[in-house]
Amino acid sequence: MQIKTTLYDIIGYILPGGLFLLLLLIGHAQYDCDSQVLKSVWANIEMVKWPQIIVICFVLYIAGHIISSLSSLLESWTSKSPNYEKLLGSELFNRYKSKLEELYKCKPDSKSFRLCVCYVESKQSAVYSTAFTFLSFYGMSRNTSLLLALFAVWEMFILTCVIMTKGWSMLFSAVLGFVSALILTVLTYYTYKRFRRYFYQYIICGFLL
């Protein structure tokens, strides 16, 4: 379990935390109207000494937890339980529904799915390990998509407010940042949906074994 936890910690928390710090440095350089954004960011990174890396990793881990909590809360507000019949196909769905009724006297929904996760963790450890990997990437993609969406909003702020008050030197950087953030938001959101689907499918298939 320690290996699984470490994988989730790195992929689900530290990497999104690192992305948050990077976007924060880029945003700060843009707000200061530094035309050499990447050079400014790299100069800040070069200032970090080896003893500071442990502290930074800890900060990134904490930041990743906060980002994950926010993205999870947003997911709970916006995402519905999957259409299990569409997700599994009619045959597997009927088997899934029958086994839930047999073991837990319940119907397919988000609460019964959590029971399936516990069942697979205890009965099908190999399947659970694969599903946990999907969960790690699913969480990372969800967190990353949220960060990039917020960064796209920041780039809109740069385009409208900062450029109007401090000049047009950041126009190209802001436009490039906004378009890049928007495209990457869509791509990471699609990745999040894909790995979320894989996670559900693997858990349910493991439950049916």
Side-chain angles (χ1 to χ4, degrees):
M1 186 64 186
Q2 184 63 40
I3 295 175
K4 297 174 189 174
T5 304
T6 302
L7 175 67
Y8 192 87
D9 287 342
I10 293 173
I11 295 177
Y13 299 130
I14 295 180
L15 291 183
L19 177 64
F20 172 72
L21 178 60
L22 177 62
L23 296 179
L24 201 63
L25 291 173
I26 293 172
H28 183 267
Q30 288 179 324
Y31 187 78
D32 287 344
C33 289
D34 190 336
S35 58
Q36 301 293 325
V37 173
L38 294 181
K39 286 186 178 180
S40 175
V41 171
W42 183 249
N44 281 291
I45 293 174
E46 285 186 319
M47 290 171 59
V48 177
K49 306 300 181 184
W50 280 107
Q52 297 171 316
I53 291 179
I54 296 175
V55 177
I56 291 174
C57 285
F58 178 74
V59 171
L60 297 183
Y61 183 71
I62 297 300
H65 269 280
I66 296 171
I67 295 162
S68 180
S69 297
L70 291 174
S71 67
S72 179
L73 183 62
L74 185 62
E75 181 186 39
S76 67
W77 288 345
T78 58
S79 295
K80 299 178 181 178
S81 294
N83 184 327
Y84 291 100
E85 188 168 5
K86 183 178 178 181
L87 182 72
L88 302 170
S90 298
E91 183 181 348
L92 281 179
F93 174 71
N94 288 330
R95 288 177 56 196
Y96 176 52
K97 187 166 62 172
S98 298
K99 191 165 183 177
L100 280 176
E101 179 66 29
E102 177 187 341
L103 292 181
Y104 303 117
K105 308 300 181 186
C106 61
K107 297 179 180 180
D109 57 22
S110 58
K111 292 182 180 179
S112 60
F113 180 75
R114 286 194 287 271
L115 294 174
C116 292
V117 173
C118 296
Y119 178 92
V120 172
E121 184 178 9
S122 61
K123 305 284 187 179
Q124 303 288 344
S125 58
V127 175
Y128 183 77
S129 295
T130 303
F132 195 93
T133 302
F134 289 141
L135 178 65
S136 300
F137 283 100
Y138 146 44
M140 181 194 69
S141 301
R142 184 190 66 201
N143 298 340
T144 302
S145 181
L146 173 64
L147 285 175
L148 291 168
L150 292 175
F151 187 69
V153 173
W154 167 257
E155 293 301 298
M156 284 296 295
F157 170 76
I158 292 292
L159 278 169
T160 55
C161 299
V162 175
I163 288 175
M164 289 176 65
T165 57
K166 296 186 178 181
W168 296 88
S169 61
M170 299 306 301
L171 177 62
F172 176 75
S173 172
V175 170
L176 180 62
F178 174 72
V179 173
S180 300
L182 203 59
I183 292 172
L184 290 172
T185 298
V186 173
L187 290 176
T188 51
Y189 182 77
Y190 171 76
T191 303
Y192 145 68
K193 299 292 282 188
R194 183 160 56 96
F195 279 111
R196 183 174 184 258
R197 184 174 70 250
Y198 291 164
F199 175 66
Y200 273 85
Q201 288 172 337
Y202 258 76
I203 289 294
I204 293 172
C205 288
F207 177 68
L208 294 176
L209 289 176

